[in-house]
Amino acid sequence: MPRATVIGLGKSGVAAARLLKREGWEVELSDSNISQALLQQQQELAAEQITVKLGQSLELNRANLPQLIVVSPGVPWDIPVLIKARQLGIETIGEMELAWRNLRLLPWVGITGTNGKTTTTALIAAIFQAAGLNAPACGNIGYAACDVALSQPGRGAGSREQGAGEAGEAGEAFDNSSLLTPNSSLDWVIAEISSYQVESSSSLAPRIGVWTTFTPDHLSRHQTLENYYNIKAKLLHQSELQVFNGDDAYLSQLGLSAWPDAYWTSVKGKDFLISEKGFYIEDDWVVEKLTATSAPKPIVKVSTLRMVGEHNQQNLLMAVATARLAGINCDAIARAISEFPGVAHRLEHICTWEGIDFINDSKATNYDAAEVGLASVKSPAILIAGGEAKAGDDTAWLAKIETKAAAVLLIGSAAPTFAKRLQEVGYYSYQIVETMERAVPKSAELAKQYQARVVLLSPACASFDQYPNFEVRGDRFRQLCLDWAEVEKLQYNSILSSPLPN
């Protein structure tokens, strides 16, 4: 029986281990961490005859080497043990690649980009599903990709045909629950694919590849902007059809010289379309031009979309382009867009209290995303920012704070650094509050003081200094806002019901 090792006991790693086990592999799963939750998972997987080693890193003993190593998205691709494995000739792949090898007979949409990919992925999946297609969202959103593969019939124990033997974690929640049932027949796979997942995939080749945006991010892992670009570009080069955000400064600069056959998009209109084919906005319509000689065709009204912000109009364009290239009709597109509620943690409206909107933008984990978040809300706003700082250019973000934020509340380990940067640009309306628990009530107080219309959590930071991920951070903000608003409501009602003094 061939042996495989999976690194990382997260959602993706567990799905990969189960898929390999079903395909006839002897599977060992390792994780350098140890906790009560992981110990519980260890017991559950042991019952499935999957060995789990906790609190230790993989060691390659020449006497008993695995034939395959599968890496979870959060595991760096260049750690010493993986470099050694490749030198020893052990095939090393990511969980996404393993899923692809089991689902390659199906058409895929692969969405990548620095920002915007989660909303675009969710919108694409909603459109495909409205058209009656069984098209689950997976990867960095919804299911782990290997969970989707597990829903399909196996090839039989020990089979290595076109599969694993030849050879981060899944992201935020997305409701695919009605789609993924055992042995259900899938029509498409809609995958949000991070640079980490592209990096560890060798043969992944979607039918349609979508590139949303490109700005500096994850440079602590990818080292240079050129390397980060080349990783993402690999996915698009391997895609049969390509959709690009033509309004992105970096991608548009490369334009037709780098991507001559791509479909480009622009929210600015036909005159700003990079090529003679693509999708653009004109007179509140998404307009399609599929070839250089075809007549423009209106597809759906932009005002149908409930999400705010020009960046969401760009996400809409890319989603509509993908749907049309997949042959989906205009009625299904319009129906899906009109019903689409948006994505949790990305400009998610939590509640309104005395005319003040509380908005969760926890997914804004870098300066560019946080700048977009601020640009999309009403002003003046009370901004909650901070967490674990990332490398990047904060200039445009700071400028947006100066024009739109009445006050800034700083949390997490980045707070002192952010305070210094705000002082350097002459902005002094900030407070270091350290925690979300302090930030929420203080934000409401400041919103009343400054007559602000919005309280916005848009951290411009990773979450790992205080939370396991940005979803948990956003969930905490949501709960604190709802709890605080409920207490305020009860106190107000108590005052109203109190008897007047004689």
Side-chain angles (χ1 to χ4, degrees):
M1 183 182 291
R3 294 184 64 251
T5 295
V6 179
I7 304 177
L9 187 59
K11 186 177 178 181
S12 299
V14 170
R18 284 177 168 149
L19 180 59
L20 288 166
K21 183 66 179 176
R22 189 187 71 175
E23 297 302 312
W25 291 79
E26 178 186 338
V27 184
E28 178 180 287
L29 205 162
S30 68
D31 197 301
S32 58
N33 297 311
I34 188 166
S35 68
Q36 194 59 44
L38 293 179
L39 288 168
Q40 178 64 33
Q41 276 194 303
Q42 182 183 47
Q43 291 182 346
E44 292 173 1
L45 291 167
E48 301 175 37
Q49 297 182 310
I50 296 172
T51 301
V52 177
K53 293 187 176 181
L54 297 176
Q56 55 186 290
S57 299
L58 173 65
E59 293 184 1
L60 297 175
N61 184 340
R62 283 185 176 273
N64 195 19
L65 292 174
Q67 285 76 53
L68 176 70
I69 296 174
V70 179
V71 182
S72 297
V75 178
W77 192 235
D78 58 354
I79 57 175
V81 69
L82 294 184
I83 294 173
K84 182 180 179 182
R86 292 191 283 270
Q87 290 172 344
L88 291 171
I90 301 170
E91 187 173 22
T92 307
I93 64 173
E95 178 262 348
M96 182 67 71
E97 172 74 9
L98 177 63
W100 162 255
R101 294 181 182 191
N102 281 264
L103 296 168
R104 65 192 308 163
L105 297 181
L106 290 168
W108 283 49
V109 177
I111 303 97
T112 196
T114 309
N115 298 309
K117 57 184 178 291
T118 295
T119 301
T120 304
T121 301
L123 189 49
I124 290 170
I127 294 171
F128 278 56
Q129 290 159 25
L133 297 169
N134 193 348
C138 68
N140 240 31
I141 181 175
Y143 296 109
C146 280
D147 273 330
V148 177
L150 278 165
S151 74
Q152 301 304 286
R155 293 189 301 271
S159 170
R160 298 175 69 176
E161 180 183 357
Q162 287 191 350
E166 284 183 18
E169 271 321 278
E172 65 186 79
F174 184 76
D175 186 9
N176 289 308
S177 55
S178 63
L179 300 174
L180 209 60
T181 55
N183 299 323
S184 60
S185 178
L186 299 181
D187 298 304
W188 285 77
V189 177
I190 314 297
E192 179 187 330
I193 306 173
S194 71
S195 57
Y196 300 176
Q197 291 162 318
V198 177
E199 185 178 38
S200 58
S201 297
S202 55
S203 66
L204 175 60
R207 175 76 57 82
I208 303 171
V210 181
W211 195 335
T212 60
T213 55
F214 185 74
T215 54
D217 198 11
H218 305 302
L219 297 187
S220 59
R221 172 151 168 172
H222 299 313
Q223 306 304 317
T224 67
L225 189 65
E226 181 182 18
N227 190 40
Y228 179 43
Y229 172 85
N230 288 336
I231 289 169
K232 288 193 172 293
K234 182 175 80 167
L235 180 74
L236 275 293
H237 281 305
Q238 294 181 180
S239 299
E240 184 179 331
L241 300 170
Q242 303 153 342
V243 175
F244 278 81
N245 176 357
D247 296 327
D248 180 84
Y250 195 100
L251 297 177
S252 63
Q253 188 176 7
L254 296 170
L256 294 177
S257 61
W259 305 97
D261 298 320
Y263 291 85
W264 293 84
T265 64
S266 179
V267 300
K268 301 173 185 176
K270 182 180 179 180
D271 292 344
F272 291 85
L273 209 58
I274 289 175
S275 71
E276 293 183 317
K277 63 181 184 181
F279 294 75
Y280 57 92
I281 292 176
E282 186 173 84
D283 297 329
D284 192 42
W285 281 89
V286 172
V287 179
E288 162 191 289
K289 198 171 188 302
L290 288 179
T291 68
T293 56
S294 62
K297 178 181 178 180
I299 304 299
V300 65
K301 282 208 162 206
V302 177
S303 54
T304 306
L305 186 69
R306 289 191 277 171
M307 295 185 295
V308 299
E310 186 177 275
H311 67 291
N312 278 321
Q313 293 182 5
Q314 182 56 252
N315 296 335
L316 171 66
L317 278 173
M318 292 182 286
V320 171
T322 302
R324 292 296 292 159
L325 293 175
I328 293 174
N329 66 50
C330 299
D331 289 343
I333 292 172
R335 185 167 64 254
I337 291 168
S338 67
E339 297 172 355
F340 188 70
V343 175
H345 312 295
R346 191 67 180 113
L347 292 171
E348 174 194 7
H349 181 267
I350 302 300
C351 63
T352 300
W353 173 78
E354 295 195 12
I356 303 163
D357 293 326
F358 289 75
I359 295 177
N360 169 23
D361 198 32
S362 181
K363 189 169 169 55
T365 59
N366 56 50
Y367 299 118
D368 297 289
E371 181 198 351
V372 168
L374 259 178
S376 301
V377 301
K378 301 170 185 175
S379 59
I382 306 300
L383 173 66
I384 302 172
E388 184 179 286
K390 289 183 176 181
D393 184 356
D394 63 0
T395 307
W397 177 63
L398 292 169
K400 191 65 67 176
I401 288 175
E402 290 183 278
T403 59
K404 296 208 66 168
V408 179
L409 297 173
L410 299 173
I411 63 173
S413 61
T417 304
F418 281 6
K420 183 179 178 182
R421 289 292 292 133
L422 288 168
Q423 289 178 23
E424 288 171 356
V425 298
Y427 186 98
Y428 293 95
S429 184
Y430 71 84
Q431 295 182 39
I432 294 177
V433 293
E434 298 180 345
T435 67
M436 197 76 75
E437 287 73 15
R438 293 176 184 166
V440 169
K442 189 64 179 178
S443 68
E445 176 189 323
L446 291 175
K448 295 288 283 185
Q449 178 182 332
Y450 288 102
Q451 296 184 313
R453 305 172 71 182
V454 171
V455 168
L456 173 68
L457 169 67
S458 194
C461 284
S463 59
F464 304 123
D465 58 332
Q466 294 180 317
Y467 301 95
N469 51 52
F470 72 81
E471 295 99 330
V472 175
R473 175 172 63 190
D475 290 342
R476 183 60 178 154
F477 174 73
R478 184 193 301 110
Q479 193 58 55
L480 286 168
C481 290
L482 294 174
D483 289 349
W484 181 86
E486 183 63 26
V487 168
E488 289 296 308
K489 179 181 176 182
L490 290 172
Q491 290 178 346
Y492 178 73
N493 289 339
S494 175
I495 292 171
L496 288 180
S497 61
S498 298
L500 294 173
N502 292 326

